[in-house]
Amino acid sequence: MPTFVLEVGTEELPASFVEGAIEQWQERIPTSLAEAFVEPEAVEVYGTPRRLAVVLRNLPDKQNDRTEDIKGPPVKAAYKDGKPTKAAEGFARKQNVSLDDLEIRDTEKGEFVFVRKQIPGRPTADILKELVPQWIFKLEGKRFMRWGDGDVRFPRPIRWLVALLDDAVLPLEVVSGSDTIASDRISSGHRVLHPEPISIETASDYIEALRQAYIEVDPERRKTAIVEGINTEAKKVSGTAEIPEDLLTEVVHLVEYPTAVTGKFDEEFLILPPEVITTVMVSHQRYFPVLNEKNSKELLPYFITISNGDPAKSEIVAAGNERVIRARLADGEFFYKADCEKPLETMMPKLESVTFQEDLGTVKDKVDRLTKIADRIAEALQLSDEEKMKIRRAAYLCKADLVSQMVYEFPELQGAMGEKYALVSGENAEVAKAIFEHYLPRGADDIFPETLTGQVIGLADRLDTLVSIFGLGMLPSGSSDPFALRRAANAVVNITWTANLELNLDRLLQSSVADFQSAYPKASSELLSQLQGFFLQRIQTLLQDEKSIDYDLVNAVLGENDLEYTERALTDLLDVRDRAEFLQSIRSDKTLDTIYETVNRSTRLAKQGDLDTQQLNPRPIVTPDRFESPAEQAFYDALVKLLPRTEAARQERNYRQLIDALAEIAPTVSEFFDGETSVLVMAEDENVKRNRLNLLGLLRNHARVLADFGAIVKSA
């Protein structure tokens, strides 16, 4: 069984494209081969900055012969008075069969004409010739380019093409204007260590042939080599390397033959905040910081880089890297000292000249708005005067560092430098920390603010952004979310959950929207409902994706077009989280199964009545004198006993107490439905029927304190 290799050789590709292209090929190539009935035993996808490659091992020589049923027109269109119409004749002609070969079959949509065809398998080589161009030119990514006088688009110019089916070149061409690249067995080695072309004799030799030319085409092996090299170099200076995953991934796709190289910088730069040094290294230079192996918070005056050159020239590479970082750190030192010469508060006036958004004014205007929201949150949390003072001070200063020289040069340090400068200025330690924390979390895997002050300012900042940007009608759509509003709303919910803040989000939205509409009369009258709907979407997504709650249980606590649950979710974020997690736990331990049938059946039937969903007390709305069976009286008595337990469960948010009570009443309800003294709910007497529907409605309402059981799907 043959092996096939495809290599697309290019100028240096962006690291992000290489990573994405590998992922796309890993998904698409096996799928396209399966659809073409040509499946190899293994699909191996590789990539370096100068090439993308796939190796298909043990392919069949050709497709298997197969039988295929092809659907034609409906019988009504294919035959008239028992004779074939032009529709039938056209279908037979298109399929190259006779009218006698047509079959009539019954389908879900009625009778249709079919033909069964025997399709001989095509050679694998022919299939690959058709698929390879699709694999190459259907890759997606940013900043594709054209080169020469052609129209072919790719992130970088394509320079060579290797296509081997075992030892034979599969003839392929990439034509772009006057430039034609024909497939061959010739590849390129390392630019420095092996500048000579490589001739690959057979497809199975591909990986080893490239290794002989100082190309490690397997990104996983490059990653392993990089990590091992970094750790080895760090130990030489009694340190341990900090290896950010994002940086590691990027570096893997920047080199073809990695060599770890250690550099050194002047110890005097260690007076700078560690965040400055690591930002220069990681974000700007793609260097790996080195920490003291005995104190992981202490930086050492070393860094490690990954060279793609000649290992024998590592000292020269290190010297060049040292010159670069010395200059960058010298700039950082200058900015830091200049910023520290004056209190952080003195930077505030400059915020009046920094635009937040064209229609929303300056950053100073934003600070004023978020301060007002922070005050409301502090009031809602019933904080002390001292805590309120810290929050107001942190809100006032939280954006001041944006106009510092350091943050102007290194925007990634916003917040971090604000904390440093606040401490230098003599601000309260919690106020200083809140300036940094109010940006947290900055991404999906980031930490959350620890201080109450940081939590409140973080909520206020994001709520202002959401209300303001929504107020201008700039709602996120599809993948377009330039103001990261989804991330902001996620953070509002997650901060509230993580810190267990007893906040009424709906009330905060209402007051913030009212302020915005007062200042911007042209704002949409639908602003509040848009924000409410947006937050409900985020709550749903977070419960399912981050809390791993089953979709039907999420629907049960949020309600499906149920205003009562909508308001409840936005009014009490902690409660909606607790109810969802509790439902998931009782599904896992099978407790849910013990009450599901009775509660769900009651919920379905209760829809035939008109009982208000808030009603829990049976006495005002059930008339015992109309009972015709002991089962009704038992049901009623059970509901009377259930009432105080449900009210306690709701007040204490102790839903286990409610579920236990519902489990106890389940046999009584089963007797009402199916026992020896069971009744017909939909009785002919309207008063009796209403009485019985009210019993069921009451049980539904008690269960609704936890969730809408009508939305829950029965467990398998």
Side-chain angles (χ1 to χ4, degrees):
M1 300 176 75
T3 294
F4 174 70
V5 65
L6 168 70
E7 181 185 74
V8 182
T10 68
E11 299 292 346
E12 269 74 2
L13 293 163
S16 59
F17 175 77
V18 178
E19 180 185 8
I22 290 173
E23 291 175 355
Q24 291 174 59
W25 272 10
Q26 286 172 335
E27 179 180 350
R28 294 177 185 175
I29 290 178
T31 301
S32 65
L33 290 169
E35 291 172 350
F37 305 102
V38 179
E39 295 189 69
E41 288 186 4
V43 177
E44 302 167 5
V45 181
Y46 303 111
T48 79
R50 296 177 63 211
R51 70 203 75 221
L52 297 173
V54 59
V55 178
L56 309 177
R57 299 193 185 275
N58 295 331
L59 283 158
D61 293 313
K62 69 179 189 66
Q63 297 171 318
N64 289 328
D65 297 341
R66 66 187 188 278
T67 300
E68 187 171 338
D69 291 330
I70 301 173
K71 185 179 178 182
V75 170
K76 291 180 180 179
Y79 294 95
K80 186 175 183 181
D81 299 329
K83 296 182 179 180
T85 65
K86 289 185 178 180
E89 292 172 354
F91 175 64
R93 188 166 52 251
K94 181 179 179 181
Q95 300 302 326
N96 197 27
V97 298
S98 70
L99 288 169
D100 293 338
D101 292 325
L102 301 184
E103 302 176 17
I104 296 175
R105 299 185 193 175
D106 195 22
T107 73
E108 293 180 357
K109 296 183 179 180
E111 291 185 323
F112 279 79
V113 171
F114 282 81
V115 63
R116 173 164 289 182
K117 295 182 69 176
Q118 298 295 324
I119 302 175
R122 297 171 59 204
T124 297
D126 292 346
I127 303 298
L128 291 172
K129 288 178 187 177
E130 295 173 1
L131 293 179
V132 166
Q134 298 176 34
W135 298 343
I136 298 173
F137 295 112
K138 286 192 176 182
L139 284 171
E140 300 172 2
K142 298 179 180 178
R143 300 183 183 87
F144 277 46
M145 62 181 292
R146 297 182 179 89
W147 60 95
D149 58 355
D151 293 326
V152 170
R153 298 178 70 253
F154 209 67
R156 293 295 183 271
I158 297 175
R159 296 306 190 200
W160 73 88
L161 201 63
V162 173
L164 292 176
L165 191 59
D166 276 346
D167 60 353
V169 174
L170 186 73
L172 297 168
E173 285 187 344
V174 173
V175 180
S176 181
S178 59
D179 189 12
T180 298
I181 299 170
S183 58
D184 202 338
R185 64 177 70 251
I186 304 301
S187 181
S188 293
H190 193 280
R191 284 194 186 276
V192 176
L193 298 172
H194 197 291
E196 303 84 5
I198 313 166
S199 179
I200 301 170
E201 297 306 314
T202 68
S204 57
D205 293 340
Y206 173 72
I207 295 175
E208 189 56 37
L210 263 67
R211 285 180 184 150
Q212 293 298 320
Y214 298 95
I215 302 291
E216 178 50 72
V217 75
D218 186 343
E220 287 303 316
R221 289 177 67 108
R222 290 201 305 277
K223 182 176 182 178
T224 299
I226 288 169
V227 172
E228 289 177 353
I230 290 172
N231 289 332
T232 298
E233 289 296 305
K235 287 181 180 179
K236 291 179 182 178
V237 294
S238 300
T240 179
E242 181 180 330
I243 308 179
E245 190 62 33
D246 288 347
L247 176 58
L248 176 60
T249 300
E250 181 180 8
V251 170
V252 165
H253 298 301
L254 287 173
V255 298
E256 294 190 308
Y257 188 74
T259 302
V261 178
T262 302
K264 192 176 189 304
F265 61 86
D266 296 338
E267 291 189 26
E268 65 185 57
F269 290 122
L270 290 174
I271 65 168
L272 288 170
E275 294 88 345
V276 174
I277 300 173
T278 56
T279 296
V280 169
M281 289 184 184
V282 175
S283 300
H284 292 258
Q285 301 305 131
R286 313 303 192 268
Y287 298 170
F288 295 89
V290 180
L291 307 172
N292 190 327
E293 63 181 354
K294 296 180 180 179
N295 182 358
S296 61
K297 294 183 179 180
E298 180 186 341
L299 275 172
L300 296 180
Y302 299 99
F303 60 89
I304 298 169
T305 60
I306 301 301
S307 168
N308 192 39
D310 185 348
K313 305 293 178 63
S314 292
E315 290 186 7
I316 298 174
V317 172
N321 292 337
E322 289 170 355
R323 283 195 298 272
V324 173
I325 199 169
R326 188 180 300 116
R328 297 293 286 168
L329 291 176
D331 289 342
E333 183 181 31
F334 173 81
F335 298 141
Y336 181 65
K337 288 181 177 179
D339 289 337
C340 287
E341 288 178 356
K342 49 193 175 184
L344 180 62
E345 187 174 12
T346 62
M347 299 182 190
M348 288 298 299
K350 291 184 180 179
L351 292 180
E352 296 179 4
S353 61
V354 179
T355 301
F356 168 62
Q357 198 278 338
E358 184 178 1
D359 296 314
L360 296 173
T362 67
V363 175
K364 178 61 169 63
D365 295 327
K366 177 176 177 57
V367 167
D368 292 341
R369 293 194 301 268
L370 75 85
T371 300
K372 191 172 184 179
I373 297 173
D375 285 343
R376 287 199 182 107
I377 295 173
E379 285 292 337
L381 294 173
Q382 300 180 343
L383 301 182
S384 66
D385 290 343
E386 181 182 356
E387 288 171 321
K388 290 177 181 176
M389 287 178 60
K390 290 178 184 176
I391 288 169
R392 177 167 279 273
R393 185 63 176 173
Y396 177 67
L397 294 173
C398 69
K399 304 296 182 184
D401 67 333
L402 294 181
V403 292
S404 67
Q405 294 188 55
M406 182 70 80
V407 174
Y408 181 83
E409 183 69 18
F410 302 110
E412 308 95 321
L413 291 173
Q414 63 180 9
M417 296 315 301
E419 178 182 9
K420 305 297 181 186
Y421 295 150
L423 292 173
V424 170
S425 302
E427 298 288 343
N428 175 275
E430 186 170 333
V431 169
K433 190 170 185 179
I435 294 172
F436 166 68
E437 287 187 330
H438 91 282
Y439 287 106
L440 303 177
R442 293 157 296 193
D445 300 321
D446 202 6
I447 59 174
F448 287 88
E450 295 178 354
T451 67
L452 180 59
T453 305
Q455 292 158 1
V456 171
I457 305 304
L459 292 173
D461 186 23
R462 291 171 175 88
L463 286 171
D464 170 68
T465 298
L466 285 158
V467 171
S468 300
I469 301 301
F470 264 74
L472 297 180
M474 301 168 69
L475 283 64
S477 60
S479 60
S480 175
D481 188 7
F483 289 91
L485 300 180
R486 294 187 183 93
R487 188 169 67 192
N490 286 351
V492 169
V493 176
N494 273 326
I495 289 172
T496 304
W497 282 349
T498 303
N500 288 311
L501 299 177
E502 299 278 357
L503 281 176
N504 186 327
L505 176 61
D506 198 45
R507 189 175 298 160
L508 285 171
L509 289 174
Q510 290 177 25
S511 57
S512 300
V513 165
D515 287 346
F516 186 85
Q517 290 175 328
S518 176
Y520 296 84
K522 294 183 179 180
S524 170
S525 60
E526 302 295 318
L527 177 55
L528 179 60
S529 63
Q530 288 172 342
L531 285 163
Q532 290 170 331
F534 188 68
F535 268 104
L536 283 171
Q537 291 174 2
R538 305 326 304 161
I539 294 169
Q540 181 181 36
T541 299
L542 291 172
L543 286 174
Q544 288 183 209
D545 295 349
E546 295 189 9
K547 299 291 186 182
S548 300
I549 309 297
D550 294 341
Y551 79 94
D552 59 319
L553 302 184
V554 174
N555 291 338
V557 297
L558 291 179
E560 296 180 297
N561 301 315
D562 189 322
L563 185 60
E564 179 184 329
Y565 280 111
T566 297
E567 292 177 348
R568 184 175 173 186
L570 295 175
T571 299
D572 194 338
L573 291 177
L574 301 185
D575 179 61
V576 74
R577 175 203 63 189
D578 292 347
R579 287 187 291 123
E581 291 181 340
F582 178 68
L583 274 175
Q584 189 67 51
S585 72
I586 63 173
R587 167 169 281 177
S588 298
D589 67 17
K590 306 299 182 182
T591 303
L592 183 59
D593 295 343
T594 64
I595 64 169
Y596 177 82
E597 289 293 346
T598 53
V599 174
N600 193 268
R601 189 174 180 182
S602 300
T603 298
R604 290 198 308 270
L605 282 169
K607 291 179 180 179
Q608 305 297 320
D610 56 4
L611 183 65
D612 186 292
T613 56
Q614 296 292 317
Q615 181 67 41
L616 295 176
N617 189 349
R619 292 186 177 91
I621 46 90
V622 176
T623 305
D625 291 344
R626 295 185 179 134
F627 292 159
E628 297 177 350
S629 165
E632 293 173 278
Q633 183 67 52
F635 197 169
Y636 176 81
D637 293 341
L639 288 171
V640 171
K641 293 179 181 178
L642 180 62
L643 178 61
R645 298 178 70 176
T646 300
E647 290 178 337
R650 179 164 58 183
Q651 184 175 357
E652 300 166 10
R653 286 218 295 257
N654 181 357
Y655 298 113
R656 173 62 66 178
Q657 182 176 343
L658 172 61
I659 288 298
D660 289 345
L662 290 174
E664 290 175 18
I665 200 176
T668 303
V669 181
S670 295
E671 177 68 25
F672 176 84
F673 281 130
D674 303 313
E676 293 182 1
T677 59
S678 64
V679 300
L680 178 65
V681 175
M682 308 304 285
E684 292 185 8
D685 186 316
E686 284 295 322
N687 289 326
V688 173
K689 179 174 76 172
R690 175 183 288 272
N691 220 36
R692 292 170 180 172
L693 286 173
N694 283 345
L695 286 171
L696 296 174
L698 285 163
L699 181 61
R700 173 203 64 192
N701 293 353
H702 282 267
R704 277 179 63 87
V705 170
L706 174 59
D708 176 9
F709 275 72
I712 299 176
V713 177
K714 184 178 180 180
S715 301

